[in-house]
């Protein structure tokens, strides 16, 4: 199995059969914290010359943030830029519209960023048309009162 599929199966459950997950969502596994080894972080299709924004939160590891920025800068090259923004300060940033080709948010190890509608609107504003957003948020199962028999209150 590829490491991506193994990670998917570890969180979402199921067994691999020709690269497909055969069983459904497993809330107990999704609630686990999944750490990212920066050596395994893909370049997200980032190419030379692209402008990238890395958004972090106060729970992010400083060392991991530095490593992610250095790795990203190595991919985009010296002529392009990597901007580092704290999620709590993003709305006050002075970035022009359509400033970035790629936005990486909540991907720094340790991050527990939850993206408010205002933060998502700002990301959409600074992301170029045809730009790409890679976003990660913590997810935990919740039980909806009167969940109608759905396991964990998950709606179909």
């Amino acid at each position: 199995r590829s490491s991506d599929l193994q990670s998917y199966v570890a969180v979402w459950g199921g067994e691999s059969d020709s690269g497909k997950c055969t069983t459904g969502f497993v809330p107990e596994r999704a609630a686990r914290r999944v750490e990212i080894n920066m050596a395994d972080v893909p370049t997200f299709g980032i190419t030379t010359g692209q402008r990238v924004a890395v958004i972090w939160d106060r729970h992010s590891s400083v060392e991991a943030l530095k490593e992610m920025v250095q790795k990203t800068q190595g991919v985009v090259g010296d002529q392009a830029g990597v901007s580092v923004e704290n999620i709590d300060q993003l709305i006050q940033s002075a970035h022009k519209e359509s400033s970035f080709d790629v936005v990486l948010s909540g991907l720094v190890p340790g991050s527990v960023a939850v993206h408010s509608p205002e933060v998502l609107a700002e990301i959409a504003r600074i992301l170029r048309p045809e730009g790409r957003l890679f976003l990660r948020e913590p997810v935990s199962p919740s039980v909806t009162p009167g969940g109608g028999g759905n396991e964990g209150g998950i709606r179909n």
Side-chain angles (χ1 to χ4, degrees):
R1 293 184 197 178
S2 72
S3 64
D4 289 342
L5 180 59
Q6 287 174 342
S7 295
Y8 178 89
V9 170
V11 173
W12 298 105
E15 290 299 320
S16 172
D17 180 22
S18 301
K20 296 180 181 175
C21 187
T22 59
T23 62
F25 175 72
V26 180
E28 300 79 34
R29 291 184 184 167
R32 290 185 324 175
R33 184 181 184 128
V34 178
E35 289 298 326
I36 296 175
N37 179 343
M38 289 309 295
D40 297 332
V41 171
T43 58
F44 299 103
I46 297 169
T47 58
T48 302
Q50 289 187 316
R51 296 239 12 207
V52 179
V54 176
I55 301 172
W56 61 280
D57 67 78
R58 63 186 170 96
H59 298 285
S60 302
S61 158
V62 173
E63 295 79 22
L65 175 61
K66 287 179 184 177
E67 189 175 344
M68 178 178 268
V69 170
Q70 288 172 347
K71 181 175 182 175
T72 304
Q73 190 67 54
V75 173
V76 299
D78 294 333
Q79 300 303 315
V82 177
S83 178
V84 180
E85 293 288 340
N86 180 281
I87 195 165
D88 297 324
Q89 302 299 317
L90 182 65
I91 296 171
Q92 288 97 20
S93 74
H95 296 295
K96 294 178 183 176
E97 278 188 37
S98 303
S99 299
F100 297 98
D101 300 293
V102 179
V103 174
L104 308 175
S105 186
L107 298 175
V108 178
S111 176
V112 293
V114 175
H115 300 80
S116 69
E118 294 82 13
V119 167
L120 291 172
E122 180 63 10
I123 289 172
R125 188 187 73 77
I126 65 174
L127 190 61
R128 289 186 176 152
E130 309 300 321
R132 289 174 293 146
L133 167 63
F134 294 91
L135 179 141
R136 183 180 72 160
E137 281 193 338
V139 177
S140 62
S142 64
V143 177
T144 304
N150 290 333
E151 183 177 325
I154 299 169
R155 297 176 189 242
N156 295 327

